[in-house]
Amino acid sequence: MPRKSDRMAGEYSDEELMKRALDEARAAADAGEAPIGAVVVDVSGNILAAAGNAPIGTHDPTAHAEIRALRATAEKIGNYRLIDTTLFVTLEPCAMCAGAISHARVKRLVIAASDPKGGAVWHGPKFFEQTTCHWRPEVEQGPFADEAGQMLKEFFKARR
């Protein structure tokens, strides 16, 4: 995994932005969804969108936090290409989300917790390493990996 991030995204630090993504993850858990959150910021660090997982409540298998945040950002800026954006996400994206990140041309991807079972960035298909991937964001290990991972473990343990 690439180095741990300690950068600033405009007026917010990576830590502050990941905390916002964790807030979205908590809200998703409160709604009965898997606790995963995402935040998109522009090159100046302005928050463009934030979302939590919602496939159950929306009856939409594509309503992952990353997809919802990317859709909201695209709608807000009026373009499906999200050039010069950074996506903060609490869990390593799956293959579907990695594909959407690539198609959207997200510049930088900051991930809190890795996902050995369902992740597609550092695990599984390693989507961005495939020759068929046309756009690869800068991928970094972000802050709060332990907190994000623990939130997921507790959520699923309570459902067993």
Side-chain angles (χ1 to χ4, degrees):
M1 289 184 245
R3 66 179 167 72
K4 193 166 217 161
S5 174
D6 60 357
R7 294 169 36 169
M8 294 284 289
E11 63 185 87
Y12 298 103
S13 69
D14 284 359
E15 288 77 15
E16 291 168 314
L17 291 163
M18 193 60 79
K19 281 182 185 177
R20 175 67 189 276
L22 286 166
D23 289 343
E24 294 293 331
R26 283 186 202 91
D30 290 345
E33 304 280 354
I36 302 165
V39 174
V40 179
V41 298
D42 67 15
V43 70
S44 298
N46 300 307
I47 296 174
L48 299 171
N53 253 26
I56 297 167
T58 61
H59 310 291
D60 178 359
T62 69
H64 290 193
E66 303 95 320
I67 300 290
R68 295 181 69 226
L70 294 174
R71 283 179 179 158
T73 301
E75 181 71 26
K76 183 173 188 168
I77 69 172
N79 193 336
Y80 73 102
R81 293 279 170 93
L82 309 182
I83 308 296
D84 291 330
T85 60
T86 297
L87 172 62
F88 290 82
V89 64
T90 60
L91 183 67
E92 179 181 353
C94 69
M96 175 184 68
C97 292
I101 291 162
S102 178
H103 283 282
R105 306 297 196 261
V106 169
K107 181 177 183 177
R108 182 173 168 240
L109 173 61
V110 182
I111 305 166
S114 68
D115 184 2
K117 280 187 170 181
V121 176
W122 295 316
H123 298 91
K126 298 181 181 178
F127 188 88
F128 302 126
E129 294 178 23
Q130 300 306 310
T131 58
T132 54
C133 179
H134 299 295
W135 176 265
R136 293 161 183 84
E138 300 168 22
V139 179
E140 299 177 21
Q141 173 72 57
F144 305 112
D146 292 340
E147 184 175 342
Q150 189 61 37
M151 189 184 310
L152 283 155
K153 285 176 189 168
E154 290 171 9
F155 177 83
F156 289 110
K157 183 178 181 182
R159 274 149 184 73
R160 287 189 195 123

